[in-house]
Amino acid sequence: MRLLSAGITTLVAAFLIVPVLLSALAGVTANWFLGVSGGLTTRWLWRVWDLYAHTIGLSVWIAACCLACTLLLGVPAAYALARAEGRWPRLAEEVLTLPLAVPGLATALGLILLWGPVGGFRTHWSFVLVGHVLFTLPFMLRATLAAMKGADLVTLEEAARACGASFRQRFLGIVLPNARRGILAGSLMVLALSLGEFNTTLLLSTPFTMTLPVGLADSYASMRLEIGSAFTLLFLVLLVPPMVALQAVADRVAR
Amino acid sequence: MSIHAALLGCARTFPDGTVGLHPTTLDFPPGSVTALLGPSGCGKTTTLRLLAGLAAPDRGGRVTFDGRDVTALPVERRGIGMVFQGYALFPNRDVAGNIGYGLEVRGVARAERERRVAEMLRLTRLEGLGARRIDQLSGGQRQRVALARALAPSPGLLLLDEPFGALDARLREALRTELAALLAELSVTAVFVTHDQAEAMALGSRIVVMEAGRVAQEGTPEQVYARPASRFVGGFLGTLNHLGGDRFCRPEALRPDPQGPIDAVVRAVFFEGGRRRVLLRAPGAGADIAIELAGPAPLPGTGMRLAVEEAAVLRLPG
Amino acid sequence: MAAGWEGQGAAGYVAALTEPRYLAALRDTVLLSAGVAFVSVALAAVVGSFLARRRFPGRRVLVALLTLPLAFPGVVVGFMVILLAGRQGVIGGLTEALVGERVVFAYSLAGLCLGYLYFSLPRCIATVMAAAEGLDPALEEAARTLGAGPWRVARDVILPGLAPALVASGAIVFATCMGALGTAFTLAADIRVLPMVIYTEFTVATNFSVAAALSVLLGLVTWAALALARMFGGGSVAAQA
Ligand SMILES: Nc1ncnc2c1ncn2[C@@H]1O[C@H](COP(=O)(O)OP(=O)(O)OP(=O)(O)O)[C@@H](O)[C@H]1O
Ligand SMILES: [Mg+2]
């Protein structure tokens, strides 16, 4: 049975890892048809840079803004939820699963129908940002809330109170440091999710507010395979650091 | 059908290099009840797991059942019963489902299984609880389910790891008496781990005292208590008074005697129900001396002369 | 204006619930998502418990690599399927060399399944691993002392222990697949999944009310699946997202 499990694990690992390597490789081969023997080149990467640099810039910018928003909204909200008693927190946690149930497409439709006609909002990048914040906020909330609950914050705060700490001192000196792992994990998740968001963004974006994943879809549809691959490679380079950091944080929490 | 189990030169080194057990040879005669006693981390659980087959001995060590080498035999084929430290009851099965599991695995027919489970429920005084969920049981009931589960397939060797570890003192004592009666009735070879010397002496027909991965001494409770092989063993099994030099004695060997050779001063008195424990300071003794008194309590600070029963003095070189 | 919207909205719902092509898309999407959820959970049960229970060199790196695709957007996954099984894909090249015929299935149902499986597996594996690490090893040992072999242990101890995690991750995968647009978008597959239908209704046909009605329908189905999973002991559905 051990052999069978090992075999299945190997197959699944290959299935998940090989395509990543393939797309990375395809982005630097001169001609995919000829394979590596056709020579390696950075030509496609430069082409992608010329064509899509603005989408990369916008995606990074939106991800950063999205992180700022979710931190400002999510951390205080998680704190309130962690301290609240009664049925409200239960209800709120119920609501937290909603973004999973509501397809990104539906969120986008709702936003467009609601805000589309308002001034220049529809064509501004902040329109996309709103979609991203709606999508990622629950992840930040959930990660932070879990950390706060795990640290038994209520007791810690009572202890700090007994020592005479003011609210400000408690929040900055006790609450935030003890929830920092959760906040960090939530932040990395928000960054990664925002960078890769497609379902909502496809509808929210306009040709002038095209984000990286939308640009990727565009390149897959209209450019040659090597350019799509090179773009994917750039995207992976952007995405891997937060994901690796996330894994490291998770590892340290586990230990 | 109790088993004659033996460990022959079994050692156990963990992957990280920790030595859990130095090479050890131990014999467990059929029907014997052996207590593995020792402080935390001395290798009791390791010894038990070697017997069970949950861990393999380092190279060269052998485990035999009735003379047959079972070192390479996996746990599930050894036909043992084991009670785990935290009981390890299956949360997805009710009480009867837990007790009947070993029989189910062996393919025992349903009717026979139900009969046997009912018998075990009666034996462990759990009648009427067969359909209970595990999380609806008290600590003592859980302990009995774990015991019933281990005994249901009629194992030849019963292993118990701190069977009363998680229970309060009164319950421990009650269950100890129950288990002693049960083991006597079943005449199964039993090995149990404990760090409570009173439990070891009450339940074990034999005690193996362990220290830092080695057997420090083995023998009947009387032998080990009265003739400890070392200061460590003596101290672990009960209070050991240091009379100076290599001379030691148990509290029972000392009595107040106006003509006695030891001149001591009472330091403290502890009321222990039927009698009192008195701590005294004596010149020449390494530490306080403890004695037991039935009569009226002396006041701290008063002097008291003591006599010692020479035959009971233990000579234990450091 | 408001009244007009309402009238349109009602018509949209009527269309969404009666027109065969919408219903067919709904049915196909549900079947596809359920199938992918089942297969991912089954595979993840094996892989997750293997990775959680065995120690071998390079394990941490492997785990990190396996969880990396967690954040890949659907479009990228679709592209990877094309690289694997598309017209210029590796599988095509391999089969051409071996059998003399190019096997291309990226743009079919199989390709879509492969893509959905690709982004579902990491999430399931991570969830199962966390659950398997939380299992009490003494339970497994207890079963073995009672005579249970490896298969019995897997069936009687490990599987019941993992059940809540399996239900939870299955429900989440189902929900994610139901709403996934990117993969189908990139593959431009023959099979019409509901999100693609909604997208085309909205952009190409500018049929806002039908698009909205279908979105609500989609949301209801996924929400029901999540609620159902939570009812059946997957209490961690929220936590595991
Ligand atoms: N898996 C392991 N890896 C490394 N060292 C271990 C492992 N298990 C036990 N040890 C070490 O082996 C020694 C013996 O452990 P063992 O569990 O047999 O002690 P014990 O006598 O049962 O103690 P306790 O009364 O606390 O249960 C200890 O020093 C322990 O730290
Ligand atoms: Mg132990």
Side-chain angles (χ1 to χ4, degrees):
Chain A
M1 192 171 90
R2 183 184 302 198
L3 266 176
L4 186 65
S5 316
I8 292 179
T9 305
T10 315
L11 280 180
V12 167
F15 172 58
L16 290 177
I17 295 168
V18 167
V20 180
L21 299 180
L22 274 183
S23 60
L25 195 64
V28 290
T29 48
N31 186 329
W32 178 238
F33 246 130
L34 303 178
V36 185
S37 57
L40 299 178
T41 176
T42 56
R43 185 162 56 131
W44 309 122
L45 287 169
W46 289 115
R47 278 282 286 162
V48 168
W49 191 256
D50 287 342
L51 288 167
Y52 294 108
H54 62 287
T55 72
I56 300 176
L58 183 63
S59 261
V60 172
W61 169 244
I62 287 185
C65 292
C66 184
L67 176 58
C69 293
T70 49
L71 279 175
L72 283 176
L73 296 171
V75 174
Y79 176 66
L81 276 181
R83 286 175 46 121
E85 284 164 23
R87 63 198 176 86
W88 283 110
R90 284 275 313 140
L91 198 72
E93 281 177 34
E94 182 82 15
V95 172
L96 288 187
T97 57
L98 274 183
L100 274 171
V102 180
L105 212 51
T107 316
L109 280 181
L111 280 176
I112 290 173
L113 294 179
L114 204 61
W115 296 106
V118 179
F121 191 31
R122 176 73 181 86
T123 49
H124 195 254
W125 58 266
S126 57
F127 196 56
V128 177
L129 176 64
V130 172
H132 282 211
V133 171
L134 279 180
F135 172 59
T136 54
L137 186 58
F139 290 89
M140 172 66 85
L141 247 171
R142 223 176 280 154
T144 311
L145 186 60
M148 285 179 171
K149 280 189 169 166
D152 193 9
L153 216 59
V154 176
T155 316
L156 286 183
E157 263 209 284
E158 279 169 3
R161 237 184 165 138
C163 297
S166 71
F167 175 77
R168 218 179 72 90
Q169 287 169 321
R170 289 197 313 262
F171 191 76
L172 296 179
I174 306 293
V175 176
L176 289 186
N178 281 297
R180 68 179 189 281
R181 289 264 164 75
I183 297 175
L184 188 59
S187 304
L188 293 166
M189 198 70 203
V190 165
L191 281 181
L193 287 175
S194 171
L195 280 178
E197 213 306 314
F198 180 78
N199 290 352
T200 317
T201 320
L202 179 64
L203 286 186
L204 293 184
S205 66
T206 61
F208 305 101
T209 57
M210 193 192 266
T211 64
L212 207 167
V214 179
L216 273 172
D218 183 68
S219 78
Y220 295 155
S222 55
M223 302 286 159
R224 55 184 296 166
L225 190 82
E226 288 84 353
I227 294 188
S229 297
F231 200 1
T232 308
L233 180 58
L234 281 182
F235 171 69
L236 290 181
V237 168
L238 213 55
L239 188 70
V240 165
M243 284 311 284
V244 168
L246 188 64
Q247 185 71 33
V249 173
D251 266 4
R252 284 181 57 182
V253 171
R255 256 178 296 133
Chain B
M1 26 139 245
S2 50
I3 280 179
H4 185 170
L7 294 178
L8 303 173
C10 283
R12 170 82 179 147
T13 312
F14 291 103
D16 65 353
T18 317
V19 178
L21 192 68
H22 293 282
T24 299
T25 296
L26 278 172
D27 198 49
F28 304 93
S32 63
V33 178
T34 307
L36 294 178
L37 178 67
S40 187
C42 70
K44 307 180 295 285
T45 299
T46 305
T47 308
L48 209 65
R49 291 172 65 86
L50 285 175
L51 272 173
L54 288 169
D58 295 351
R59 277 189 47 164
R62 290 196 304 133
V63 184
T64 65
F65 284 2
D66 289 333
R68 200 163 49 95
D69 191 331
V70 295
T71 318
L73 199 66
V75 210
E76 60 266 28
R77 310 243 305 273
R78 288 198 185 184
I80 53 157
M82 183 154 176
V83 175
F84 286 76
Q85 200 158 2
Y87 310 140
L89 299 176
F90 305 129
N92 55 321
R93 294 171 160 257
D94 60 13
V95 168
N98 266 278
I99 298 177
Y101 185 74
L103 303 167
E104 203 180 306
V105 165
R106 285 167 173 75
V108 174
R110 182 184 209 98
E112 166 62 13
R113 211 162 68 211
E114 278 169 3
R115 196 192 57 72
R116 181 75 180 148
V117 168
E119 186 186 332
M120 294 318 300
L121 284 171
R122 190 165 36 73
L123 206 61
T124 48
R125 306 213 333 248
L126 289 165
E127 291 107 326
L129 296 184
R132 280 276 185 96
R133 281 211 323 264
I134 296 308
D135 55 11
Q136 296 171 327
L137 298 178
S138 72
Q141 287 167 340
R142 279 173 211 213
Q143 201 276 335
R144 282 193 281 228
V145 174
L147 185 63
R149 183 179 70 177
L151 287 173
S154 313
L157 175 64
L158 180 65
L159 305 170
L160 308 103
D161 194 355
E162 309 240 4
F164 311 118
L167 306 175
D168 66 70
R170 275 174 55 92
L171 197 54
R172 287 177 82 109
E173 240 169 278
L175 285 174
R176 187 199 292 168
T177 321
E178 265 178 43
L179 181 62
L182 202 60
L183 290 179
E185 188 183 326
L186 297 174
S187 80
V188 56
T189 312
V191 182
F192 73 99
V193 162
T194 178
H195 52 240
D196 179 338
Q197 90 282 1
E199 205 166 281
M201 289 194 277
L203 211 49
S205 61
R206 191 173 65 129
I207 293 182
V208 174
V209 185
M210 302 189 59
E211 180 187 12
R214 289 198 166 80
V215 173
Q217 189 176 3
E218 55 172 304
T220 64
E222 290 79 9
Q223 282 167 351
V224 184
Y225 182 79
R227 291 288 155 211
S230 67
R231 291 181 193 184
F232 168 80
V233 174
F236 201 79
L237 279 145
T239 308
L240 198 62
N241 290 319
H242 192 187
L243 302 174
D246 62 352
R247 285 159 55 81
F248 293 82
C249 75
R250 296 287 183 201
E252 312 82 272
L254 288 166
R255 66 195 137 70
D257 181 346
Q259 265 76 54
I262 303 171
D263 188 13
V265 179
V266 175
R267 282 225 312 125
V269 182
F270 300 100
F271 181 61
E272 287 187 344
R275 57 204 166 168
R276 289 179 173 77
R277 166 162 289 228
V278 181
L279 287 187
L280 307 109
R281 161 128 301 168
D288 282 351
I289 284 179
I291 63 168
E292 270 156 13
L293 281 184
L299 285 175
T302 53
M304 183 186 278
R305 295 195 77 86
L306 300 171
V308 60
E309 189 187 333
E310 274 306 322
V313 169
L314 306 166
R315 294 191 160 265
L316 301 172
Chain C
M1 165 93 199
W5 261 112
E6 261 165 41
Q8 248 187 338
Y13 282 103
V14 171
L17 287 174
T18 51
E19 237 181 85
R21 64 192 170 108
Y22 297 143
L23 288 178
L26 177 63
R27 185 198 59 211
D28 291 353
T29 315
V30 167
L31 288 179
L32 175 64
S33 305
V36 168
F38 181 80
V39 175
S40 337
V41 165
L43 286 176
V46 178
V47 176
S49 49
F50 181 83
L51 289 176
R53 290 147 47 86
R54 306 262 175 249
R55 294 282 171 268
F56 49 89
R59 177 180 163 276
R60 281 172 47 118
V61 177
L62 184 63
V63 170
L65 281 175
L66 292 189
T67 38
L68 183 65
L70 205 72
F72 286 4
V75 264
V76 169
V77 174
F79 183 64
M80 284 173 174
V81 172
I82 291 181
L83 281 182
L84 269 184
R87 286 180 205 97
Q88 308 171 41
V90 194
I91 294 179
L94 276 179
T95 47
E96 188 166 44
L98 291 175
V99 210
E101 196 182 338
R102 270 193 105 72
V103 174
V104 173
F105 60 84
Y107 317 98
S108 68
L109 179 65
L112 208 55
C113 280
L114 213 60
Y116 282 18
L117 212 53
Y118 189 89
F119 64 68
S120 304
L121 273 169
R123 177 161 284 161
C124 286
I125 291 175
T127 311
V128 172
M129 261 186 73
E133 269 157 16
L135 288 183
D136 181 2
L139 286 182
E140 184 184 336
E141 291 178 345
R144 296 189 63 198
T145 63
L146 289 164
W151 288 101
R152 285 291 308 219
V153 170
R155 199 192 86 184
D156 295 341
V157 179
I158 298 176
L159 213 53
L162 293 181
L166 297 181
V167 171
S169 58
I172 284 163
V173 164
F174 178 80
T176 320
C177 289
M178 284 296 293
L181 173 64
T183 314
F185 189 82
T186 306
L187 290 177
D190 318 331
I191 182 148
R192 297 186 36 88
V193 291
L194 201 51
M196 273 305 279
V197 173
I198 298 175
Y199 177 74
T200 24
E201 286 302 330
F202 184 77
T203 51
V204 183
T206 54
N207 201 344
F208 292 171
S209 62
V210 170
L214 286 175
S215 308
V216 170
L217 195 61
L218 184 56
L220 281 178
V221 172
T222 37
W223 177 81
L226 290 174
L228 216 65
R230 200 133 22 133
M231 236 168 63
F232 288 107
S236 49
V237 170
Q240 299 298 350

